[in-house]
Amino acid sequence: MRLTLEALEVLDAIQRKGSFAAAAEALHRVPSAVTYTVQKLEEDLSVTLFDRSGHRAVLTDAGRELLREGQHLLSAAQELEARVKRVATGYEVELRIAVNDVIPWDRLIPLVEEFYGAACGTRLRMSAEVYGGAWDALMGGRADLVVGAPAEGPPGGGYVTRPLGQVEWAFMVAPTHALATAPEPIPPEEIMKYRSIAAADSSRNLPPRTSGMLSGQDVLSVPDMYWKIALQRAGLGVGYLPLHMTRDDVAAGRLVVKRVVEPKPAGPMYIAWRTGHKGKALDWWVGRLADGKVQKALLG
């Protein structure tokens, strides 16, 4: 291979320091070694990298392009070296975290900031899942950790769970919806007359789950809980919503809580990870998510 990281480091040093001599000093080399590296690279690539017609060498267009792209390679090489060292200390190169859509994203930001503040170097890959899709992501290998897995994990084991908290549900409608003024408690046969909004389970392999829908009821399926809340707020359907995500809407009158004959009970949520997964980044997240204050911030 004609192009080496060493040669790119020399070009980068010349550009940063302004001269061959200053680059040699920064790299702890003699000036002749720096000059030879540049000349050899020009010969190997059959291009002129520096215009030497003036008092100082100036990068040609080809030289600037090589350095511009080469800096990306240098950064990637340095990052790879750092990651290899971190793996040796027990930190994962990457941690994939799947978050249930009943966990508001903005409430996770402080944890993400805290994790990056610890400077462990593990790259995070966050994804969103709906209902049983959280379990599907874990069992299908798309996630290393799930935040907000619903109760009743898949049979067969192979995973560890820790309680995260309870999600309180309430039947809600827009103030303009016909059911907003309906006598309470509202029976199922009355609810069935109106469209239900459902956040579709994101499972790819496990059987999809449903909750809170009546047989024969018209259903509008949406991608996640945020869509569901918005469409119910717009009066386009009815259904159960998590109280911790809708308190402001209820307080402002954008949604109305209605008592029903068959209320949806509170549901436990968990964090879960595969039994065989070992790593300090995972341990960090499991430890922080076990903190009662963190749990209250996520689901309170």
PDB file of all heavy atoms in Angstrom, residues 208-223:
ATOM      1  N   PRO A 208     -46.728 -10.042  17.735  1.00  0.00           N
ATOM      2  CA  PRO A 208     -47.071  -8.689  18.191  1.00  0.00           C
ATOM      3  C   PRO A 208     -48.161  -8.728  19.257  1.00  0.00           C
ATOM      4  O   PRO A 208     -49.019  -9.605  19.261  1.00  0.00           O
ATOM      5  CB  PRO A 208     -47.554  -8.002  16.916  1.00  0.00           C
ATOM      6  CG  PRO A 208     -47.978  -9.105  16.010  1.00  0.00           C
ATOM      7  CD  PRO A 208     -47.072 -10.262  16.319  1.00  0.00           C
ATOM      8  N   ARG A 209     -48.109  -7.772  20.160  1.00  0.00           N
ATOM      9  CA  ARG A 209     -49.072  -7.702  21.245  1.00  0.00           C
ATOM     10  C   ARG A 209     -50.042  -6.539  21.018  1.00  0.00           C
ATOM     11  O   ARG A 209     -49.720  -5.575  20.342  1.00  0.00           O
ATOM     12  CB  ARG A 209     -48.360  -7.485  22.590  1.00  0.00           C
ATOM     13  CG  ARG A 209     -47.252  -8.484  22.870  1.00  0.00           C
ATOM     14  CD  ARG A 209     -46.658  -8.231  24.247  1.00  0.00           C
ATOM     15  NE  ARG A 209     -45.503  -9.079  24.512  1.00  0.00           N
ATOM     16  CZ  ARG A 209     -44.937  -9.224  25.702  1.00  0.00           C
ATOM     17  NH1 ARG A 209     -45.435  -8.572  26.755  1.00  0.00           N
ATOM     18  NH2 ARG A 209     -43.894  -9.992  25.869  1.00  0.00           N
ATOM     19  N   THR A 210     -51.201  -6.648  21.627  1.00  0.00           N
ATOM     20  CA  THR A 210     -52.175  -5.549  21.601  1.00  0.00           C
ATOM     21  C   THR A 210     -52.705  -5.362  23.008  1.00  0.00           C
ATOM     22  O   THR A 210     -52.664  -6.277  23.840  1.00  0.00           O
ATOM     23  CB  THR A 210     -53.348  -5.846  20.652  1.00  0.00           C
ATOM     24  OG1 THR A 210     -53.995  -7.055  21.079  1.00  0.00           O
ATOM     25  CG2 THR A 210     -52.864  -6.012  19.224  1.00  0.00           C
ATOM     26  N   SER A 211     -53.213  -4.176  23.285  1.00  0.00           N
ATOM     27  CA  SER A 211     -53.751  -3.902  24.621  1.00  0.00           C
ATOM     28  C   SER A 211     -54.753  -2.768  24.529  1.00  0.00           C
ATOM     29  O   SER A 211     -54.539  -1.793  23.808  1.00  0.00           O
ATOM     30  CB  SER A 211     -52.621  -3.529  25.579  1.00  0.00           C
ATOM     31  OG  SER A 211     -53.132  -3.195  26.844  1.00  0.00           O
ATOM     32  N   GLY A 212     -55.847  -2.910  25.271  1.00  0.00           N
ATOM     33  CA  GLY A 212     -56.818  -1.821  25.385  1.00  0.00           C
ATOM     34  C   GLY A 212     -57.746  -1.660  24.207  1.00  0.00           C
ATOM     35  O   GLY A 212     -58.450  -0.653  24.115  1.00  0.00           O
ATOM     36  N   MET A 213     -57.752  -2.630  23.273  1.00  0.00           N
ATOM     37  CA  MET A 213     -58.639  -2.527  22.113  1.00  0.00           C
ATOM     38  C   MET A 213     -59.775  -3.533  22.236  1.00  0.00           C
ATOM     39  O   MET A 213     -59.593  -4.629  22.769  1.00  0.00           O
ATOM     40  CB  MET A 213     -57.857  -2.753  20.819  1.00  0.00           C
ATOM     41  CG  MET A 213     -56.898  -1.622  20.488  1.00  0.00           C
ATOM     42  SD  MET A 213     -56.105  -1.830  18.883  1.00  0.00           S
ATOM     43  CE  MET A 213     -55.061  -3.242  19.209  1.00  0.00           C
ATOM     44  N   LEU A 214     -60.927  -3.156  21.723  1.00  0.00           N
ATOM     45  CA  LEU A 214     -62.104  -4.019  21.780  1.00  0.00           C
ATOM     46  C   LEU A 214     -62.294  -4.736  20.458  1.00  0.00           C
ATOM     47  O   LEU A 214     -62.029  -4.182  19.385  1.00  0.00           O
ATOM     48  CB  LEU A 214     -63.347  -3.183  22.101  1.00  0.00           C
ATOM     49  CG  LEU A 214     -63.291  -2.422  23.437  1.00  0.00           C
ATOM     50  CD1 LEU A 214     -64.490  -1.485  23.557  1.00  0.00           C
ATOM     51  CD2 LEU A 214     -63.255  -3.403  24.600  1.00  0.00           C
ATOM     52  N   SER A 215     -62.756  -5.966  20.516  1.00  0.00           N
ATOM     53  CA  SER A 215     -62.982  -6.748  19.309  1.00  0.00           C
ATOM     54  C   SER A 215     -64.034  -6.085  18.429  1.00  0.00           C
ATOM     55  O   SER A 215     -65.122  -5.725  18.898  1.00  0.00           O
ATOM     56  CB  SER A 215     -63.442  -8.168  19.693  1.00  0.00           C
ATOM     57  OG  SER A 215     -63.721  -8.930  18.546  1.00  0.00           O
ATOM     58  N   GLY A 216     -63.708  -5.882  17.159  1.00  0.00           N
ATOM     59  CA  GLY A 216     -64.626  -5.264  16.215  1.00  0.00           C
ATOM     60  C   GLY A 216     -64.548  -3.754  16.161  1.00  0.00           C
ATOM     61  O   GLY A 216     -65.220  -3.131  15.336  1.00  0.00           O
ATOM     62  N   GLN A 217     -63.717  -3.150  16.999  1.00  0.00           N
ATOM     63  CA  GLN A 217     -63.602  -1.689  17.026  1.00  0.00           C
ATOM     64  C   GLN A 217     -62.727  -1.201  15.875  1.00  0.00           C
ATOM     65  O   GLN A 217     -61.726  -1.829  15.515  1.00  0.00           O
ATOM     66  CB  GLN A 217     -62.990  -1.252  18.366  1.00  0.00           C
ATOM     67  CG  GLN A 217     -62.966   0.247  18.587  1.00  0.00           C
ATOM     68  CD  GLN A 217     -62.398   0.600  19.960  1.00  0.00           C
ATOM     69  OE1 GLN A 217     -61.711  -0.208  20.595  1.00  0.00           O
ATOM     70  NE2 GLN A 217     -62.691   1.805  20.429  1.00  0.00           N
ATOM     71  N   ASP A 218     -63.105  -0.074  15.278  1.00  0.00           N
ATOM     72  CA  ASP A 218     -62.277   0.544  14.238  1.00  0.00           C
ATOM     73  C   ASP A 218     -60.968   1.010  14.882  1.00  0.00           C
ATOM     74  O   ASP A 218     -60.976   1.626  15.952  1.00  0.00           O
ATOM     75  CB  ASP A 218     -63.019   1.739  13.631  1.00  0.00           C
ATOM     76  CG  ASP A 218     -62.209   2.424  12.545  1.00  0.00           C
ATOM     77  OD1 ASP A 218     -61.375   1.753  11.909  1.00  0.00           O
ATOM     78  OD2 ASP A 218     -62.408   3.640  12.353  1.00  0.00           O
ATOM     79  N   VAL A 219     -59.851   0.695  14.223  1.00  0.00           N
ATOM     80  CA  VAL A 219     -58.545   1.007  14.810  1.00  0.00           C
ATOM     81  C   VAL A 219     -57.689   1.784  13.814  1.00  0.00           C
ATOM     82  O   VAL A 219     -57.582   1.416  12.642  1.00  0.00           O
ATOM     83  CB  VAL A 219     -57.797  -0.284  15.229  1.00  0.00           C
ATOM     84  CG1 VAL A 219     -56.416   0.067  15.784  1.00  0.00           C
ATOM     85  CG2 VAL A 219     -58.598  -1.061  16.255  1.00  0.00           C
ATOM     86  N   LEU A 220     -57.077   2.855  14.277  1.00  0.00           N
ATOM     87  CA  LEU A 220     -56.077   3.586  13.512  1.00  0.00           C
ATOM     88  C   LEU A 220     -54.723   3.273  14.144  1.00  0.00           C
ATOM     89  O   LEU A 220     -54.463   3.643  15.293  1.00  0.00           O
ATOM     90  CB  LEU A 220     -56.343   5.095  13.553  1.00  0.00           C
ATOM     91  CG  LEU A 220     -55.229   6.001  12.999  1.00  0.00           C
ATOM     92  CD1 LEU A 220     -54.900   5.669  11.554  1.00  0.00           C
ATOM     93  CD2 LEU A 220     -55.617   7.469  13.152  1.00  0.00           C
ATOM     94  N   SER A 221     -53.862   2.558  13.413  1.00  0.00           N
ATOM     95  CA  SER A 221     -52.544   2.187  13.937  1.00  0.00           C
ATOM     96  C   SER A 221     -51.523   3.264  13.603  1.00  0.00           C
ATOM     97  O   SER A 221     -51.478   3.760  12.467  1.00  0.00           O
ATOM     98  CB  SER A 221     -52.094   0.842  13.346  1.00  0.00           C
ATOM     99  OG  SER A 221     -52.941  -0.204  13.776  1.00  0.00           O
ATOM    100  N   VAL A 222     -50.702   3.609  14.581  1.00  0.00           N
ATOM    101  CA  VAL A 222     -49.684   4.653  14.417  1.00  0.00           C
ATOM    102  C   VAL A 222     -48.334   4.114  14.876  1.00  0.00           C
ATOM    103  O   VAL A 222     -48.263   3.081  15.552  1.00  0.00           O
ATOM    104  CB  VAL A 222     -50.079   5.919  15.209  1.00  0.00           C
ATOM    105  CG1 VAL A 222     -51.344   6.530  14.630  1.00  0.00           C
ATOM    106  CG2 VAL A 222     -50.262   5.602  16.686  1.00  0.00           C
ATOM    107  N   PRO A 223     -47.234   4.812  14.531  1.00  0.00           N
ATOM    108  CA  PRO A 223     -45.906   4.262  14.819  1.00  0.00           C
ATOM    109  C   PRO A 223     -45.528   4.181  16.291  1.00  0.00           C
ATOM    110  O   PRO A 223     -44.776   3.285  16.687  1.00  0.00           O
ATOM    111  CB  PRO A 223     -44.965   5.230  14.080  1.00  0.00           C
ATOM    112  CG  PRO A 223     -45.811   5.914  13.067  1.00  0.00           C
ATOM    113  CD  PRO A 223     -47.167   5.999  13.676  1.00  0.00           C
TER     114      PRO A 223
END
